[in-house]
Each structure stands twice: as structure tokens, then as C-alpha cells.
Amino acid sequence: TPEARSTGLLEPAYDVGGDAFDYAVNGYTFDVAIMDAMGHGLRSSLASALAVGSYRHDRREGQPLAVMHRRLDEVMAERFGGDSFVTGQLAQLDVRTGCLSWTNAGHPWPLLVRGGRVVDRLACRPSLPWGLGGPLVEEADAVLQPSDKVVLFSDGVVDGRSADDTLFGIDRFVGLVEE
């Protein structure tokens, strides 16, 4: 839209896994979710699909972040009984005011990019991953400036290792984002 843009990428794109993202613009609200289901393979993919489905249902009903966060936890716990979980973040941007609100279910903090440089990590005290119970710990807020960018990513990006077992790490990721 004229007010907000979104780009996403899953890598490796052809492996069955539990990473997912979803976004939509509804009126003046830009909604986004990033999720990473525990493990790999079909079970992880099913957990991720359930989480995305729950999120989309509540998003389409116009539920606030806190309700979406709580219901995600309940749906995952009901289906998997604590044997599987999903980490992630839910965010809403009011495109008129630039106010970004988000929750964190055990996921790495997003990066705030301003003027081509990573200027901050958007802190939000994490709640337990969805499916493990526990209350929402925090719904964080920040006011973005025009042309700010927010980079959400999963731990697989920074925890990735090269063939010689070198950790990719947050510093290299920040360098790549700024490049």
C-alpha cells in the first residue's frame, strides 16, 4: 500500500519445516506475524499451519493482539498438550500514526532500520512460546518514523552455521541488513 510495504522470505524454501509468516492490511492497520514451530519435518509443519490458521481467524475478526496471542497459546496447547510449541511475534502497525505494537512468544527481537542503519532492537519481554501456557508478559509499542524498516526474523537466521561450523550470528546479520 502507499503507507506500508512488506517482504518475506523462507529459506531453504523447499524443506518441510515450521517457519511461517503472514501479513494483511485491513483499513489503516497493517498486521504481521512470524512463527517458528519446534523441530523440523511434517509435525513442525502441521504445528505451524495450525498457528497460522488460528492467527488468521482472529486477525480477520479484528481481535486485539493480546487476544490473538492468548488464543494461539490455547489452540497449540489443546492440540499438542505441551509436546510441541511455536515461537513468534505478532505485530500491528497503525499506518496513520506509525505506532507499532507487538507481542513476543520467545522469539528474537526485531531490528529497527533507520536511514539504512540498524539503530535498535525492538525489545519486548518474551512470553512463553505458544502452546506452553503462561500469560502474555508484555505488549510493546514504538512509534516509527516515515521510511523506517522493521526486520523480523527467526533464530534459524542467526543460529545458522557454515560448513566449517562458524556461527552466522547477529552481528553478521546486522551487517547483511545494512548492506
Side-chain angles (χ1 to χ4, degrees), residues 112-137:
L112 175 60
V113 180
R114 184 173 287 150
R117 310 291 299 169
V118 174
V119 296
D120 204 357
R121 294 184 69 191
L122 297 176
C124 181
R125 291 175 305 173
S127 302
L128 288 174
W130 296 305
L132 297 181
L136 174 62
V137 173

Side-chain angles (χ1 to χ4, degrees), residues 17-18 20 35 37 43-56 76 86:
M35 300 173 179
R43 183 175 171 91
S44 176
S45 182
L46 290 171
S48 179
L50 179 61
V52 169
S54 174
Y55 165 73
R56 285 179 178 166
M76 296 304 299
V86 176

Side-chain angles (χ1 to χ4, degrees), residues 25-129:
V25 176
N26 297 301
Y28 294 106
T29 303
F30 176 74
D31 287 282
V32 63
I34 182 171
M35 300 173 179
D36 184 4
M38 177 184 103
H40 301 282
L42 186 56
R43 183 175 171 91
S44 176
S45 182
L46 290 171
S48 179
L50 179 61
V52 169
S54 174
Y55 165 73
R56 285 179 178 166
H57 174 269
D58 287 343
R59 184 195 73 221
R60 288 176 182 146
E61 286 195 342
Q63 297 295 335
L65 286 177
V67 171
M68 287 190 272
H69 188 99
R70 178 180 48 81
R71 287 189 183 169
L72 265 165
D73 183 61
E74 292 169 353
V75 164
M76 296 304 299
E78 179 181 315
R79 172 62 182 95
F80 291 101
D83 290 337
S84 187
F85 61 83
V86 176
T87 65
Q89 293 174 341
L90 307 178
Q92 292 182 325
L93 173 66
D94 183 324
V95 297
R96 296 167 298 180
T97 64
C99 183
L100 177 71
S101 300
W102 70 100
T103 68
N104 183 343
H107 217 62
W109 292 346
L111 304 175
L112 175 60
V113 180
R114 184 173 287 150
R117 310 291 299 169
V118 174
V119 296
D120 204 357
R121 294 184 69 191
L122 297 176
C124 181
R125 291 175 305 173
S127 302
L128 288 174

Side-chain angles (χ1 to χ4, degrees), residues 10 12 22 24 27 49 64 74 90 117 138 145 151 156-157 163 176 178:
L10 291 175
D22 191 71
E74 292 169 353
L90 307 178
R117 310 291 299 169
E138 179 180 19
Q145 297 178 9
V151 180
V157 172
L176 182 64
E178 291 180 344

